[in-house]
Amino acid sequence: MSHYFKLLALEVRRFRFVLAGMMLYTMIIEVLALAQQINSYKHRFGLTNGVTDEGSVPPSLSFANLIINTQRGFALAIVIPMAVLLAYVLLIWYRDWLGRHPFIYRQLMVPGGRTPLYFAKLTAFLLFVFGMLAWQLLLVAALQLEYAWLSPEWMKAPSVFTDAMYASRVFQLILPLDFTEFLINYGFGILLVLLAFAGILFERSYRIRGLLIGILYLVLNVVLFIYSTHAFDGFLYPDEQLAVCLTIFGLEVAAALWISLKLINRKVSA
Amino acid sequence: MIHVENAHKRYRLRKVLDGVSFTAQKGQITCLIGMNGAGKSTLLKAIMGLTPLSKGSIRVDGVQSSRELYEKVSFIPDHTAMPGGYRLEEGLRFMADYYHSWNEARAAELMTFFNLNEGDRVGNLSKGMAAKFGLVLGLAADTEFVLMDEPFSGIDLFSRELIGEVFSSRLIEDRGVLITTHEIDEIEHLLDRAVLLKDGKVARDIDCEQVRDEEGKSVLDVMREVYRT
């Protein structure tokens, strides 16, 4: 167990600068995008002393509405870290095989078996994903403060935190407010990571043959899971359909873990 | 004792090992000799569980693939196997963190012996310095066996001499050493046994002392016989 925590700390330490860079990038883009949007709205009406030329006060703009108008900026802030994390599913493994001094030799030779290595990489990756998610939540709270600070009084309108989260399509994707939807999105995401890890270990064990097996394995599992969510429409009650999906999900997770641990302990080559 | 029995390994369609069997005893230096691609490194990796065999078995002190293997056997690959961004002190800390057999006093002694600076980064080391650091990582642990993969490859004369000194020092005493190399000049006089691989098989397995005394031949002479025919 202690080796697992040490390996986890090692994985986190090795990614810390990239993670910090992504957090900084997201913050800068979102803060700038919001500031630019506030500024552009403020100057849209050519105000003098807080009133338009016709003497009327322009309509207010709530924080949530401001986010609706800033879709592209928020997408840019979130999609790039998402892409980096997606690439890191591969890199977290392949990085150790690359370079002049492949580190995988040491990692595979850590006493006490290789199971802790697998789980350290898996947990580290999930920590990065949920760390970014938590950071995004903090940023939304900080952006609300930015809105309160930069917006003139006539522009301010009340809006609740959840409205802001619903306002952006990217936010809806990364943090669905419906808990079931959250579980489905992240459950499917974790399943994909497990399948990708198994695919990578197939490739690292059997090289070109393993690459084909890995891709086939991943595609078959994804197709089976998606198929199971629609296959019984009209035949089963919703609860029964959910049970089928959960069973397939559980079986695929268990199989991916079993295959990955077998491969890393018995077949993988440095 | 490390006992390799009937080891087979294929890379795609090529048979790299085709029924290799030999033993490496504790307290002896055993050298695996072979041309490039003869499967020497593959054998060392297989012993360390870093590549599976297609067929055959490997036992260390009678036990097949135990969790304690890495506390008992240390492996010095032909590269440092530490991230390039690591400082040497981080590499030493990594070893101390994971290995009960790690001997910090010996690690410090070896760092001084090889004149290595703990603040240097692994990625900035020359080939010779990297080989020396690899030796520190492999020899500082209190293991019963040490496996070394081409420790002299691409290294300058003085570094080779320094590494050669290690073989006659107390750092090696009482341990079993299994080494692969083409360049046996530096250590030929220290070898106890030599296993010559050819076409994936053991062509000769010799007791060096016996061959010297009874046949008046050096290991190099035996190599000529095997590889020139």
Side-chain angles (χ1 to χ4, degrees), chain A residues 127-140:
Chain A
L127 268 178
F128 302 147
V129 170
F130 288 108
M132 283 303 289
L133 196 62
W135 177 244
Q136 184 56 66
L137 278 174
L138 280 175
L139 276 182
V140 173

Side-chain angles (χ1 to χ4, degrees), chain B residues 191-207:
Chain B
L191 296 182
D192 296 296
R193 289 191 55 212
V195 179
L196 286 81
L197 299 173
K198 192 181 178 189
D199 301 328
K201 296 178 195 295
V202 175
R204 291 285 299 272
D205 184 348
I206 59 169
D207 180 321

